[in-house]
Amino acid sequence: MRLEAVDALRGFALLGIWLVHFLITFVGQRGDGTGPAGPPSAGETAVRLAIDTFVAGKFFSIFSLLFGLGFALQLRSAGAKGQPYTARFVWRLALLGALGWLHRLLFEFEILHIYAVVGLLLVLVYRWRNAWLLFASGLLFVGGLGFAFWLAPVTALFTGAFGEAVGSFLVDEFSGFRVFTVAAMFVLGLYLGRRDAFADTAANRVFFNRVLVVAAVGFAGAKLFYSQFASVVGAGIGPAIRFYDTFFTLKSLAVSALYLAGMMQLYRQPLFRRALAWLGPLGKMGLSTYVLQSLCLLLFAWCGRRYVGAAGLPLQVVLGAAALLFAAQAAAAHAWLHRFRYGPLEWLWRSATYRQWQPMRRK
């Protein structure tokens, strides 16, 4: 298992998550956060189209898959030492859930609390055979597609203040197939970790080449149908919206697979390995980086309110800030891990897991 490649892949996923959150939040918006600054410019339209095609919904799937992969690695490590792990993993999930709900107070796109709940699924299926894991992953994804068709009728059954709150919660957590996609990616990551899919072997190189071909064909097909439904949705035909969401999800997963397989194949090349190595520290302290990104978003939003006000945020400023702030995150991760073994939140999480302070500084 090439842990350096996995860390770089996780860092790459965090780059995509950062871009979609930052650009969706600020491109074309007023500095005070009160709404759009006006009709989008050609540049803003192009940026949003690029986000929709290549970024939105693509990277959190990779991030989720790597969570399942991490479980497989931790399970293998515990097994090699003859230590039980499932109870400890459940405790780790409880800690992650607590952090996630705190994080959600600051950041509306928070995903950690969902990881904490859905992660329990891994405890239920980790003894299954590989074929059953693949089947379960596919079934969860298909179930998510079907769920979209009856989510709206179900939420309509809830009335009153409490009912509306429940309905709103269901829409927030289950729309866009988020929970089902996370569950499917968790199980798929467990499967890939069990079969050592990230080891540098001839069989895995062939495997990822096949993934590239299948994903490219899948993307082309999903993109075609997605474009067809886009015009229908624009006309306000309600039922078509759910088909639109379905093909958006299929398109996103195809792009995620292209990124994943492409990164693994590129990482085999020494030149690209050196070029991608700067993402490794970000991925190694992925939890800390993910939460730090929320703080960076809040910082930029404060600057917008303070220095821009009701005026529109210039596109070049938004793009430049996105690049500079991510570069700052990368520099901070490199500097931190040069002196310490873990990211700050990883260290706290690990210490709470074992109920004792873990060594932090490098010797």
Side-chain angles (χ1 to χ4, degrees):
M1 184 71 68
R2 294 186 296 171
L3 294 180
E4 297 85 0
V6 172
D7 286 337
L9 185 59
R10 189 180 293 109
F12 179 64
L14 286 164
L15 169 60
I17 290 170
W18 165 253
L19 287 176
V20 70
H21 287 162
F22 193 88
L23 298 181
I24 287 294
T25 301
F26 296 115
V27 167
Q29 300 297 303
R30 298 178 186 273
D32 58 9
T34 56
S41 66
E44 291 168 349
T45 300
V47 168
R48 288 191 174 273
L49 178 61
I51 294 170
D52 180 75
T53 304
F54 300 109
V55 184
K58 282 70 174 177
F59 289 91
F60 98 93
S61 297
I62 299 175
F63 200 60
S64 301
L65 182 144
L66 295 177
F67 187 93
L69 174 69
F71 174 74
L73 295 178
Q74 294 161 12
L75 192 65
R76 178 182 301 173
S77 176
K81 298 175 183 177
Q83 299 174 345
Y85 181 69
T86 52
R88 184 185 301 162
F89 181 70
V90 171
W91 173 235
R92 283 174 63 83
L93 290 176
L95 295 170
L96 183 66
L99 174 62
W101 283 105
L102 289 174
H103 185 222
R104 201 179 189 205
L105 298 176
L106 300 175
F107 187 54
E108 63 177 315
F109 301 116
E110 210 285 321
I111 194 73
L112 299 178
H113 68 290
I114 294 178
Y115 278 20
V117 176
V118 178
L120 294 172
L121 176 65
L122 294 174
V123 178
L124 300 177
V125 304
Y126 80 96
R127 294 183 184 275
W128 290 10
R129 294 181 178 180
N130 286 347
W132 282 107
L133 290 177
L134 269 181
F135 176 76
S137 179
L139 187 63
L140 285 165
F141 176 68
V142 173
L145 297 181
F147 187 81
F149 287 90
W150 56 271
L151 176 61
V154 167
T155 55
L157 299 176
F158 296 97
T159 58
F162 177 76
E164 290 179 0
V166 172
S168 176
F169 174 81
L170 289 174
V171 170
D172 288 343
E173 301 299 340
F174 290 95
S175 62
F177 322 121
R178 184 165 64 161
V179 169
F180 289 94
T181 302
V182 167
M185 292 298 104
F186 277 11
V187 176
L188 183 59
L190 174 60
Y191 164 79
L192 292 176
R194 185 182 288 177
R195 72 180 297 272
D196 279 334
F198 293 89
D200 189 9
T201 65
N204 284 337
R205 290 194 289 272
V206 172
F207 168 73
F208 282 118
N209 280 334
R210 290 174 177 171
V211 171
L212 284 171
V213 173
V214 173
V217 173
F219 171 75
K223 178 66 175 175
L224 175 63
F225 284 100
Y226 175 74
S227 301
Q228 295 297 319
F229 277 103
S231 59
V232 180
V233 170
I237 302 176
I241 295 176
R242 291 191 283 275
F243 285 102
Y244 178 81
D245 288 342
T246 297
F247 286 110
F248 175 81
T249 301
L250 289 171
K251 178 171 69 76
S252 297
L253 287 175
V255 175
S256 298
L258 284 170
Y259 287 156
L260 173 66
M263 280 283 291
M264 293 309 301
Q265 297 297 61
L266 287 175
Y267 205 83
R268 293 177 49 243
Q269 309 300 322
L271 177 62
F272 284 101
R273 187 182 305 128
R274 288 192 294 270
L276 297 171
W278 67 279
L279 292 169
L282 287 162
K284 189 171 183 179
M285 48 184 288
L287 179 61
S288 297
T289 301
Y290 179 72
V291 174
L292 175 62
Q293 289 182 351
S294 304
L295 299 179
C296 289
L297 284 168
L298 292 174
L299 173 63
F300 188 78
W302 178 85
C303 290
R305 291 192 300 270
R306 178 70 174 80
Y307 298 106
V308 180
L313 290 165
L315 179 61
Q316 61 271 27
V317 171
V318 175
L319 295 177
L324 287 174
L325 286 172
F326 190 78
Q329 294 168 33
H334 277 260
W336 183 274
L337 291 179
H338 182 71
R339 301 184 63 183
F340 302 103
R341 299 183 181 187
Y342 313 104
L345 290 181
E346 284 78 8
W347 175 71
L348 287 173
W349 194 19
R350 186 178 180 88
S351 296
T353 297
Y354 290 96
R355 297 180 176 87
Q356 62 180 6
W357 298 116
Q358 299 295 299
M360 181 65 159
R361 285 187 174 274
R362 293 187 181 275
K363 295 181 180 179

